[in-house]
Amino acid sequence: MTGRKATVGGLVTANPVWVGSSELTMTLDGLITCVDAGAGAVVAKSVNESAAARRQLDIADYAFVSAGGRVRPAGAARRGDGLLNRSGLAQVDLDDWLALLAAGVEHGAARGCPVIGSITLGDPVAAARIAHAMAGAVPAVELNIGAPHGREAPAVRQLTEADAVHDAVRVVRAAVDAPLFVKLPGQASDVVALARAARSAGADAVGLVGRYPGFLPDLGGGAVLGSWGAWGSPACLPMSLYWVAKARTALGADVPLVGTNGARTATDVLRFLASGARAVEVVTALWIGGPAALAELVAGVDAYLDARDPDEFVGSALAGAREYKDIPPVRPPAWLPYTARWSRSSGR
Ligand SMILES: Cc1cc2nc3c(=O)[nH]c(=O)nc-3n(C[C@H](O)[C@H](O)[C@H](O)COP(=O)(O)O)c2cc1C
């Protein structure tokens, strides 16, 4: 087995570096590739009941954007790039999909790597029906209620109010005995309230946070992708870590959290763990770097945790997160605009 085990919501996984749901995990080959590259767990591509959500995949498109704002030519993406994309759900018949998942589960089980089924919320009752069927094929189900395409593609939903989260999760929870993980959007005024609602409705673990809606003019009179999209980049990492750390603080160490959105390196994964996540779902790093990038993350995280107690490391950064009111006055650095030095050097 590669790496250190991570147990999340009753599910034992090979290590804390999981592959998140995306087109990379939409085929049996894709699932097997991720398992064989050393993933701790692999989340399969999402499905739901809606033909419209499946049709969205016909217009899927992807643009990698450098930190300097340049759209890369196809195939030239680098590790630090952002990704703007449109996406849809797996275009499959449910029975065929369950057979594919079962084959992936079997392959993963031999390597200690669970393959997790995924549903992106459309209608909660339909999601419950799918989750029930899916739980016969997989050891855990992830329910994504934070689709960043929700406004553009109403067949996938982004819930941003605690009551709505509670109602949807309760319906799906009632339909499955298997571990149920709920993945939340980052784009809500109070993500901790959503986490609390998901948990009180019966989620075994909470995923934080989904990617953001995005828009990028190309300055030629149009827009990159020619539409709105979903956006993620390494710059999203501190925003994701904020909500993981806040959820950990509010809900306590007993509530399993799974981090996602912005991890490109082993250090990023470790920062998620230090903020309170027990595992981290990575996607874009693999789109850019392939299976070798996944193997690198797993090895890097494993090497770091080797000298530590992983259970103690999870959430360890919170000891350094002081409330503003507890911080004694600090001397303003000389470069600040209201210091004399800045005023002189700017000729004022
Ligand atoms: C192209 C693409 C497709 C995705 N499709 C899904 C999906 O079907 N279901 C889901 O829950 N998340 C989906 N995601 C979100 C990822 O699982 C993951 O949470 C997100 O990409 C943030 O991690 P990253 O910064 O490592 O990419 C998708 C992400 C990308 C980039």
Side-chain angles (χ1 to χ4, degrees):
M1 183 178 307
T2 320
R4 228 161 247 290
K5 287 184 188 172
T7 302
V8 177
L11 185 74
V12 181
T13 73
N15 65 68
V17 186
W18 298 4
V19 176
S21 176
S22 84
E23 288 83 310
L24 291 181
T25 57
M26 195 164 64
T27 61
L28 184 56
D29 264 2
L31 294 173
I32 288 174
T33 300
C34 295
V35 170
D36 290 352
V42 180
V43 186
K45 177 65 182 171
S46 291
V47 295
N48 80 8
E49 75 287 358
S50 155
R54 288 193 282 277
R55 270 199 307 275
Q56 290 299 325
L57 195 66
D58 292 334
I59 60 154
D61 200 1
Y62 313 87
F64 290 93
V65 184
S66 75
R70 202 164 61 85
V71 177
R72 305 266 194 207
R78 306 238 183 98
R79 180 74 66 98
D81 289 353
L83 171 59
L84 185 75
N85 73 290
R86 291 188 301 266
S87 200
L89 301 191
Q91 297 179 327
V92 282
D93 168 83
L94 185 58
D95 287 338
D96 294 343
W97 186 241
L98 297 182
L100 183 148
L101 288 180
V105 167
E106 191 183 338
H107 184 85
R111 290 153 184 79
C113 172
V115 170
I116 298 168
S118 170
I119 301 163
T120 288
L121 184 71
D123 169 54
V125 174
R129 191 171 32 78
I130 296 171
H132 182 75
M134 201 176 255
V138 294
V141 174
E142 184 174 273
L143 177 67
N144 175 23
I145 58 171
H149 307 279
R151 254 177 237 96
E152 282 60 60
V156 293
R157 309 262 307 274
Q158 187 187 59
L159 304 184
T160 55
E161 300 296 332
D163 288 350
V165 171
H166 188 275
D167 291 351
V169 173
R170 192 172 38 86
V171 171
V172 178
R173 169 76 283 172
V176 275
D177 292 331
L180 176 66
F181 304 162
V182 175
K183 185 163 153 188
L184 303 174
Q187 209 199 24
S189 59
D190 188 352
V191 177
V192 171
L194 306 189
R196 216 188 281 283
R199 182 70 178 169
S200 75
D204 293 292
V206 179
L208 304 111
V209 291
R211 298 164 79 233
Y212 299 91
F215 179 65
L216 198 60
D218 63 14
L219 303 188
V224 175
L225 302 180
S227 73
W228 317 102
W231 172 252
S233 85
C236 294
L237 180 71
M239 296 147 80
S240 307
L241 300 179
Y242 177 86
W243 286 121
V244 169
K246 285 286 183 182
R248 163 86 175 202
T249 306
L251 305 182
D254 290 343
V255 176
L257 305 177
V258 178
T260 192
N261 194 358
R264 300 292 170 82
T265 65
T267 302
D268 296 343
V269 171
L270 291 165
R271 285 196 159 123
F272 264 116
L273 302 184
S275 300
R278 293 198 196 165
V280 181
E281 289 178 6
V282 180
V283 168
T284 308
L286 275 70
W287 280 64
I288 295 170
L294 175 60
E296 182 196 312
L297 296 195
V298 172
V301 169
D302 191 43
Y304 187 86
L305 291 181
D306 197 37
R308 292 167 175 81
D309 176 345
D311 289 336
E312 278 181 18
F313 183 67
V314 170
S316 55
L318 292 170
R322 290 175 294 173
E323 296 297 330
Y324 285 7
K325 67 177 171 40
D326 298 331
I327 302 174
V330 292
R331 233 181 126 156
W335 50 263
L336 276 177
Y338 54 83
T339 62
R341 191 172 140 203
W342 186 86
S343 300
R344 267 202 309 280
S345 65
S346 64
R348 289 212 271 151

